[in-house]
Amino acid sequence: MIRLEKRPTPSRAWSLATPVLAVFLTMIAGGLMFAALGQDPLEVIRVIFWDPLFHDRFAAFSRPQLLVKAGPLILIAIGLSLGFRAGIWNIGAEGQYIIGALCGAAFGLAFWPSESPLILPGMIVAGLLGGMLWAMIPALLKVKANTNEILVSLLLVYVAEAILASAATNWLRNPDGQGFPGSRNLARHAGTDNPELFDGTGIHLGVVAALIAVIAAYVLFQKHLLGYQIKLAGQAPRAARFAGVSPARMVVLCLGVSGALAGAAGLFEAAGPAGQITIDFNVGYGFTAIIVAFLGRLHPVGILFAGLLMALTYIGGELAQLLLQVPAPAIQAFQGMLLFFLLALDVLSNYRIRIGRERVA
């Protein structure tokens, strides 16, 4: 008889080994899936993990793109890690990402065609506030009505997507676009452009913001009393209350910060790589950031490397589609396997496997 026995304390060794094992098992399961699709599994995995870094034709372009792709994932995941550490589960970062992009774009377009250097900073502030206010909906409902923040934040993603469709086809639509949905191109206008900081790399302000967020989160978690209170609220809620930590304040703070960072990520994408608001502007960064946060063990440095790894699967996945005609849903399933194995193996951090009958005291 196989059973799980709860450990007295979580295993640090398993906690550190889990991300590596999850990546390894994802390669095995993904390889079997690719084989079932008629592909050479070793060739597909080589293209995903090796070619973006070392391919003769593509590596020079795809290496700097790793930071560009990882930027929004890291920025959103850092925000999510605050709440996850405190036991507050914000699953709706995708919606906060959308609303942040809409608010920032709307601010910039309100001053069109001005090229004032103050517009982009205003757009960033509008993006931060948009994402934060959208996250305040589940926060206040949880504080005032004790609702479940997982359900509320997740359902708000669909509301945000409906607002995005309305914006792209109606109130933010380009009046010179001959009826096609989508806003003016923010990235091609001096006032609203999120500029490329180094020629030919694609690196923009969003990447810098992500790196600053990593450093700020590290200092917060390692050196600041608030970081300790967040950790205590997640691991021992009752002790945290005795220590004077307000649960309501923690909910508002964590959801507010994570919403603001997701909103900023949305604005940086809208004014940078995406260039405009379209119906399909959101590409799932808010959901993928959940994988990044857990893969990085909710640690800022771990999130940095996890974000780069996920960016590698994004770029490698696109190469696999281009070079080997691997279906896009198969690449998405491959990325989803990573979270599945990560969560499955996480059980072993808190439980050990026992074989045989349980002893009766």
Side-chain angles (χ1 to χ4, degrees):
M1 179 180 178
I2 300 176
R3 56 187 171 83
L4 293 175
E5 180 181 276
K6 189 170 178 58
R7 298 178 188 272
T9 57
S11 167
R12 182 172 174 78
W14 270 109
S15 180
L16 294 175
T18 293
V20 178
L21 288 173
V23 172
F24 181 68
L25 290 175
T26 299
M27 287 187 178
I28 294 175
L32 293 174
M33 178 185 68
F34 294 134
L37 293 172
Q39 300 282 346
D40 180 344
L42 294 179
E43 179 69 5
V44 176
I45 290 174
R46 185 190 67 78
V47 169
I48 291 176
F49 288 100
W50 180 266
D51 282 7
L53 299 174
F54 303 109
H55 193 281
D56 293 340
R57 286 175 54 199
F58 302 113
F61 171 77
S62 57
R63 280 178 196 154
Q65 285 298 310
L66 281 177
L67 283 172
V68 177
K69 284 281 188 185
L73 295 173
I74 294 170
L75 198 55
I76 299 170
I78 287 291
L80 292 176
S81 68
L82 265 70
F84 292 168
R85 278 182 176 234
I88 300 160
W89 305 100
N90 176 17
I91 308 299
E94 184 78 359
Q96 294 141 27
Y97 171 88
I98 292 171
I99 297 299
L102 288 177
C103 290
F107 182 92
L109 293 172
F111 293 95
W112 191 278
S114 171
E115 296 183 359
S116 168
L118 297 177
I119 291 179
L120 183 59
M123 291 170 65
I124 296 172
V125 173
L128 284 164
L129 290 176
M132 185 184 72
L133 291 175
W134 198 250
M136 283 299 97
I137 298 173
L140 294 179
L141 284 174
K142 181 175 180 63
V143 170
K144 299 295 183 183
N146 197 29
T147 57
N148 185 307
E149 76 275 17
I150 296 176
L151 290 176
V152 176
S153 62
L154 180 60
L155 291 175
L156 282 172
V157 174
Y158 300 102
V159 179
E161 288 178 340
I163 296 174
L164 172 66
S166 170
T169 57
N170 190 359
W171 49 278
L172 276 186
R173 188 173 63 179
N174 183 2
D176 301 323
Q178 300 179 335
F180 288 99
S183 70
R184 293 182 186 275
N185 196 314
L186 302 167
R188 293 184 182 176
H189 183 68
T192 57
D193 179 26
N194 176 15
E196 186 181 58
L197 300 178
F198 306 100
D199 290 342
T201 63
I203 293 174
H204 54 79
L205 289 174
V207 177
V208 177
L211 297 177
I212 292 174
V214 169
I215 296 170
Y218 182 84
V219 173
L220 174 69
F221 291 140
Q222 302 296 326
K223 305 291 183 183
H224 200 278
L225 175 62
L226 180 59
Y228 172 76
Q229 290 177 334
I230 289 174
K231 184 177 179 181
L232 184 63
Q235 293 183 350
R238 193 174 177 192
R241 283 195 292 272
F242 282 127
V245 178
S246 165
R249 175 173 166 266
M250 199 57 66
V251 169
V252 171
L253 174 73
C254 291
L255 277 166
V257 172
S258 65
L261 293 184
L267 179 275
F268 287 128
E269 285 297 297
Q276 64 178 151
I277 297 295
T278 58
I279 293 176
D280 56 353
F281 162 74
N282 59 311
V283 291
Y285 281 148
F287 293 120
T288 308
I290 297 172
I291 303 176
V292 172
F294 279 109
L295 191 62
R297 315 312 292 166
L298 306 182
H299 190 285
V301 178
I303 287 172
L304 174 64
F305 287 110
L308 290 171
L309 177 64
M310 287 306 298
L312 184 64
T313 66
Y314 267 110
I315 297 173
E318 290 170 1
L319 283 178
Q321 293 175 56
L322 175 68
L323 300 176
L324 305 174
Q325 284 74 52
V326 177
I331 299 297
Q332 293 168 357
F334 181 73
Q335 292 168 337
M337 287 177 186
L338 194 54
L339 180 62
F340 170 78
F341 284 115
L342 190 68
L343 295 179
L345 290 171
D346 253 352
V347 172
L348 299 178
S349 298
N350 296 301
Y351 294 86
R352 56 167 63 97
I353 296 175
R354 292 296 192 198
I355 300 175
R357 292 183 178 275
E358 187 175 6
R359 293 180 180 176
V360 179

